[in-house]
Amino acid sequence: MLTINASKPLLIAGPCSAESQSQIMAVAHSLSQLGISYMRVGVWKPRTRPGAFEGMGVKALEWLQEASLAYGLPYITEVAEPAHVEAALRYGAGALWVGARTTVNPFQVQHIADALAGIDIPIFVKNPVNPDIELWQGAIERFAKAGITRLAAIHRGFTGYKTPSGYRNQPNWPIPMELKRRMPALPLLCDPSHITGNASLIADVAQKALDLHFDGLMIETHPSPATALTDAAQQITPQQLQTLLEGLQVKAETTPNAVRQTQLEYLRQQVDAIDAEIIDLLARRMEIGMQAGEIKYECGLTAYQPTRWREIVEETGKRADLHGLNRDFITKLYEKIHLEGIRLQLALWRTNADSKAEAQ
Ligand code: PEP
Ligand code: MN
């Protein structure tokens, strides 16, 4: 694993794509002053439709190697096939990333992992375009199995038909948070540029990621965003990056202020006690639901009853209003509780039917 330093997020910045040697030199020069770990630059660009700028390929790797040596700043580039791995290694890449359109494909991920056999370079794995945590974790596991010891994940949001947030991709924060729960030692970075698709929204999303315990950021930075050949709307200048970084607040998990830390722990104990009560109550609710299920079974009633469900939504909604709780949250929660109740009733019916069949 790459080491995680909670007080200093891992920073990656650089243009979406390499366009010219002067652009690369200019950006490397500016970024070398900002304390970032890697300069990111795409040289093979995965384009949704054919005919758009697809990157400068191996020629750009020469520029990257030169700039990297000149400014003492390692570079990271996207690899989507074994030939990319081979070329990037030949031109001294300091790390590689796997893009969202590659992580979706286990065959392709495996080809890349195979091409890395015996080479221990840091690999950053972006989430797949679809919100499937298993695919994301699976890709990371394929690299780990290939012997890669320095792995990290990058959250770049998920494709939706139209994102309600107005972002280019849906952040769907619970997915990266669940990945972190499953793989606590794996550094998790956020790419607010590809999430928002909008330079003016990047700072907010970057701060949110730090508030959610992310370990670093990848931010697209271009000397002249307006003229960028790819992702022009979401790139910021190195100057803007500097301002953004200065404005970020890095959050910790504990405070050296012993009084406040104790108060926090006391509040948590109360929350834990309430959670235990909630679970006890849920168990009781399910038990009573099963008794209702017996009656439904006996009388040939449906397990799910739309009128009843509407009643629950209405009543729980009113209760939520009473406490100033978000109605939408309560409805979603009850959707889950109600569905689980129905699942249990249906399971009960199957058991009843089985024992009836056995008795005959
Ligand atoms: C990129 O980082 O420029 C890129 C193509 O990313 P993603 O795979 O997240 O779309
Ligand atoms: Mn991009």
Side-chain angles (χ1 to χ4, degrees), residues 174-209:
I175 294 184
M177 288 161 78
E178 169 61 12
L179 186 76
K180 189 73 180 169
R181 191 192 64 78
R182 291 184 188 186
M183 307 178 108
L186 180 82
L188 173 63
L189 280 71
C190 177
D191 171 349
S193 311
H194 288 89
I195 289 177
T196 61
N198 180 337
S200 69
L201 304 175
I202 290 172
D204 273 356
V205 172
Q207 183 60 58
K208 174 150 185 175

Side-chain angles (χ1 to χ4, degrees), residues 15-17 40 45 126 168 194 220 230-231 234-235:
C16 181
S17 318
R40 63 140 286 150
K45 297 307 297 177
K126 288 201 171 195
R168 178 177 175 185
H194 288 89
E220 281 191 340
T230 55
D231 289 351
Q234 70 191 35
Q235 303 206 60

Side-chain angles (χ1 to χ4, degrees), residues 25-348:
M25 280 299 182
V27 83
H29 170 70
S30 321
L31 293 176
S32 64
Q33 329 273 311
L34 298 183
I36 67 162
S37 296
Y38 295 99
M39 168 168 74
R40 63 140 286 150
V41 187
V43 304
W44 299 284
K45 297 307 297 177
R47 306 315 302 270
T48 305
R49 308 272 304 269
F53 174 67
E54 291 189 329
M56 301 299 290
V58 172
K59 186 154 89 181
L61 292 177
E62 281 178 37
W63 309 333
L64 290 177
Q65 186 168 38
E66 205 180 311
S68 171
L69 290 172
Y71 293 102
L73 180 61
Y75 77 89
I76 175 170
T77 195
E78 174 173 353
V79 290
E81 39 191 69
H84 294 168
V85 172
E86 189 270 323
L89 292 174
R90 193 150 34 89
Y91 286 95
L96 304 172
W97 92 76
V98 175
R101 294 162 194 78
T102 305
T103 308
V104 280
N105 183 344
F107 287 127
Q108 202 60 18
V109 170
Q110 193 58 53
H111 288 154
I112 298 171
D114 292 344
L116 285 162
I119 298 149
D120 198 7
I121 185 170
I123 304 289
F124 290 72
V125 183
K126 288 201 171 195
N127 64 259
V129 281
N130 55 330
D132 183 344
I133 189 169
E134 303 298 331
L135 266 179
W136 196 2
Q137 185 174 347
I140 293 160
E141 286 167 349
R142 282 177 199 278
F143 290 111
K145 277 192 160 187
I148 300 292
T149 58
R150 287 167 297 166
L151 276 162
I154 303 178
H155 170 231
R156 49 77 79 198
F158 303 91
T159 304
Y161 176 56
K162 273 186 185 148
T163 53
S165 49
Y167 292 164
R168 178 177 175 185
N169 290 296
Q170 285 160 359
N172 215 332
W173 296 101
I175 294 184
M177 288 161 78
E178 169 61 12
L179 186 76
K180 189 73 180 169
R181 191 192 64 78
R182 291 184 188 186
M183 307 178 108
L186 180 82
L188 173 63
L189 280 71
C190 177
D191 171 349
S193 311
H194 288 89
I195 289 177
T196 61
N198 180 337
S200 69
L201 304 175
I202 290 172
D204 273 356
V205 172
Q207 183 60 58
K208 174 150 185 175
L210 295 185
D211 293 349
L212 294 177
H213 206 289
F214 276 61
D215 306 295
L217 298 166
M218 178 191 252
I219 298 180
E220 281 191 340
T221 310
H222 191 289
S224 159
T227 62
L229 297 180
T230 55
D231 289 351
Q234 70 191 35
Q235 303 206 60
I236 57 175
T237 62
Q239 190 59 51
Q240 287 169 319
L241 177 69
Q242 185 173 3
T243 310
L244 186 155
L245 295 178
E246 283 164 4
L248 286 177
Q249 254 188 297
V250 181
K251 308 287 177 76
E253 229 176 286
T254 51
T255 166
N257 179 335
V259 174
R260 298 306 266 165
Q261 187 65 38
T262 308
Q263 285 170 339
L264 178 63
E265 265 144 38
Y266 176 62
L267 291 171
R268 282 179 168 163
Q269 279 169 14
Q270 292 180 59
V271 167
D272 288 350
I274 292 172
D275 283 344
E277 273 182 52
I278 291 176
I279 292 173
D280 293 351
L281 280 173
L282 277 175
R284 229 181 104 214
R285 189 192 191 279
M286 294 301 162
E287 208 178 288
I288 292 172
M290 295 289 260
Q291 290 172 25
E294 285 286 10
I295 296 178
K296 289 180 190 169
Y297 181 71
E298 189 189 306
C299 303
L301 309 180
T302 59
Y304 171 67
Q305 304 191 348
T307 322
R308 173 67 185 141
W309 171 234
R310 265 200 298 278
E311 211 174 273
I312 293 176
V313 172
E314 189 53 31
E315 287 308 312
T316 53
K318 274 194 218 151
R319 194 89 188 167
D321 290 347
L322 209 62
H323 293 286
L325 279 168
N326 179 343
R327 233 179 206 256
D328 190 42
F329 157 66
I330 292 296
T331 302
K332 282 199 182 112
L333 183 64
Y334 269 87
E335 243 160 35
K336 288 219 154 52
I337 294 174
H338 186 239
L339 265 182
E340 176 63 5
I342 286 168
R343 188 190 69 77
L344 288 174
Q345 290 183 347
L346 292 176
L348 171 81

